[in-house]
Amino acid sequence: MRSIWNGAISFGLVSIPVKLMNATENHSISFRQIHLADGGRIRYRKVCELDEQEVTGAETGKAYEDADGAVIPVTDEDLASLPLPTSKTIEIEGFVPASAIDPLQLDSAYYLSANGVTAAKPYALLREALKRSEKVAVAKYALRGRERLGMLRVVDDVIAMHGLLWPDEIRTPEGVAPDAGIKVRDAELDLADTLMNTLGEADLDTLHDDYREAVEELVTAKAAGGTVEAEEDEGGGGQVIDLMAALESSVRAAKESHGEDGGEVADVHPIKGRKAASGARGAAKRTASGKTAAKRAAAKNATAKKTASKTASKTTAKKAAAKKTAAKKTAGKAAAKRAAPSRPRTTA
């Protein structure tokens, strides 16, 4: 891997020379803009809006535009004069449990490699200390002209660093949640639980970008002079008319995709009212008749594999016993024939 930054981790008075490398890569397909008339490439040029003249990189500088629209030039010398202690150092500020980091803060990911033979021992020391503490290190570093926040953790035998957004860069989700007052019934939750159990755990290693593969097939076909037929969109457009019916259909489809019998779906009846007292509802829930069919479906789904295994074992045992019984009967008949006295032959 090619390093994009060289510096050191500052761990108290311990300095660990490291190299920073990108831990991820983007596989998205990029396109060029072209002139439809002749296929010529479209390129952007930097043009001054005052004299409408194209300018080169050497004639381009930085400036800050304030709220009033005033432009304040800022030179590279101005920025270089500012104190930036993290320009070549990853300063560890402290250690926290990994759960203390909000996933919303996670940004780019990097690998940190020991830079040189002398860096191997302190690098291993920090790595093992992070492992044993089961914590992550919170650090400050500078990259591409600005100071950033980072999190150091151990991935296999490597120290990885995640760029973090500053806490004040996380927006509060005001006005995002649905309107208050929406009630979710127990029957709906039971079906949702059944659907989650049927779908099971996601195997992240098997997931891939279907759209990217389709774009690659399209480009390959067009390069060969062919075309790709458009597939019909079978999606429902996100419109849910009957939530319970949609949940039941989802459970059935999930069971069929997992090779299970999708014929039996939870029979859930809507709750007509809530006039019964809470004590009566609790008693009703404790009775067998109060259990919903969705829970029975979930239980069947959870024990399906065990039942199938036991059934297969019993079937195998019965077949083996039948074979033994048949063998015994055959052996008994043969012995009886050998033991029976032979009849004397008579002549006319």
Side-chain angles (χ1 to χ4, degrees):
M1 295 183 187
R2 184 176 63 87
S3 64
I4 61 173
W5 181 90
N6 289 348
I9 301 174
S10 178
F11 179 32
L13 297 178
V14 178
S15 180
I16 311 171
V18 292
K19 294 186 292 185
L20 190 70
M21 291 158 285
N22 285 316
T24 61
E25 55 188 0
N26 188 355
H27 288 168
S28 298
I29 296 177
S30 59
F31 296 99
R32 304 291 188 186
Q33 288 190 332
I34 61 171
H35 187 197
L36 293 177
D38 55 17
R41 175 88 176 273
I42 302 297
R43 297 183 182 273
Y44 292 98
R45 294 183 172 91
K46 296 181 179 180
V47 177
C48 175
E49 66 179 15
L50 297 180
D51 57 19
E52 297 184 354
Q53 296 295 318
E54 184 178 351
V55 296
T56 63
E59 300 173 289
T60 305
K62 299 183 181 71
Y64 175 80
E65 184 176 356
D66 62 14
D68 298 330
V71 176
I72 305 169
V74 178
T75 65
D76 292 337
E77 291 75 15
D78 294 333
L79 296 174
S81 65
L82 297 177
L84 189 58
T86 57
S87 60
K88 283 294 182 181
T89 306
I90 300 173
E91 295 275 358
I92 294 180
E93 301 290 331
F95 301 85
V96 297
S99 58
I101 303 296
D102 191 332
L104 286 173
Q105 287 186 257
L106 295 176
D107 200 358
S108 301
Y110 308 95
Y111 289 135
L112 292 171
S113 172
N115 192 2
V117 178
T118 58
K121 182 62 179 289
Y123 182 98
L125 171 65
L126 177 59
R127 181 191 64 199
E128 297 305 315
L130 287 172
K131 282 183 179 181
R132 188 165 70 173
S133 68
E134 297 183 349
K135 292 183 178 181
V136 297
V138 177
K140 289 168 56 174
Y141 67 103
L143 185 64
R144 299 186 180 95
R146 72 182 186 93
E147 191 169 58
R148 304 165 188 257
L149 190 65
M151 176 190 74
L152 275 64
R153 68 184 184 99
V154 178
V155 177
D156 296 332
D157 289 329
V158 175
I159 298 176
M161 182 172 71
H162 295 267
L164 299 178
L165 298 175
W166 296 97
D168 60 0
E169 293 179 319
I170 304 298
R171 302 169 63 182
T172 57
E174 295 180 359
V176 178
D179 295 335
I182 296 178
K183 302 295 183 182
V184 178
R185 300 178 307 186
D186 290 340
E188 294 168 338
L189 279 176
D190 291 338
L191 267 179
D193 289 340
T194 302
L195 178 58
M196 293 171 63
N197 292 333
T198 304
L199 291 175
E201 296 184 358
D203 187 357
L204 298 179
D205 292 333
T206 63
L207 301 180
H208 58 278
D209 189 346
D210 293 322
Y211 180 75
R212 176 169 60 88
E213 293 180 356
V215 173
E216 291 174 347
E217 292 177 1
L218 171 65
V219 172
T220 302
K222 291 182 74 69
T227 59
V228 177
E229 296 182 1
E231 296 183 3
E232 295 183 1
D233 185 7
E234 299 179 356
Q239 298 179 357
V240 179
I241 299 176
D242 187 335
L243 182 58
M244 294 296 290
L247 285 170
E248 291 175 351
S249 299
S250 299
V251 170
R252 184 183 298 109
K255 286 185 175 181
E256 291 176 354
S257 66
H258 284 72
E260 300 177 17
D261 183 11
E264 181 180 353
V265 180
D267 183 16
V268 181
H269 301 281
I271 301 175
K272 295 182 179 180
R274 294 182 177 272
K275 295 183 179 180
S278 59
R281 287 200 304 268
K285 288 182 179 180
R286 287 192 293 270
T287 61
S289 61
K291 295 182 179 179
T292 63
K295 290 184 178 179
R296 292 196 300 270
K300 289 180 180 179
N301 180 59
T303 58
K305 292 183 178 180
K306 293 183 179 179
T307 304
S309 177
K310 290 181 179 179
T311 303
S313 299
K314 290 180 180 179
T315 303
T316 304
K318 287 181 179 180
K319 289 181 178 180
K323 289 182 179 180
K324 291 182 179 180
T325 303
K328 288 182 179 180
K329 288 181 178 180
T330 303
K333 289 179 179 181
K337 288 182 178 181
R338 290 194 299 270
S342 59
R343 293 181 180 179
R345 294 182 180 180
T346 58
T347 57

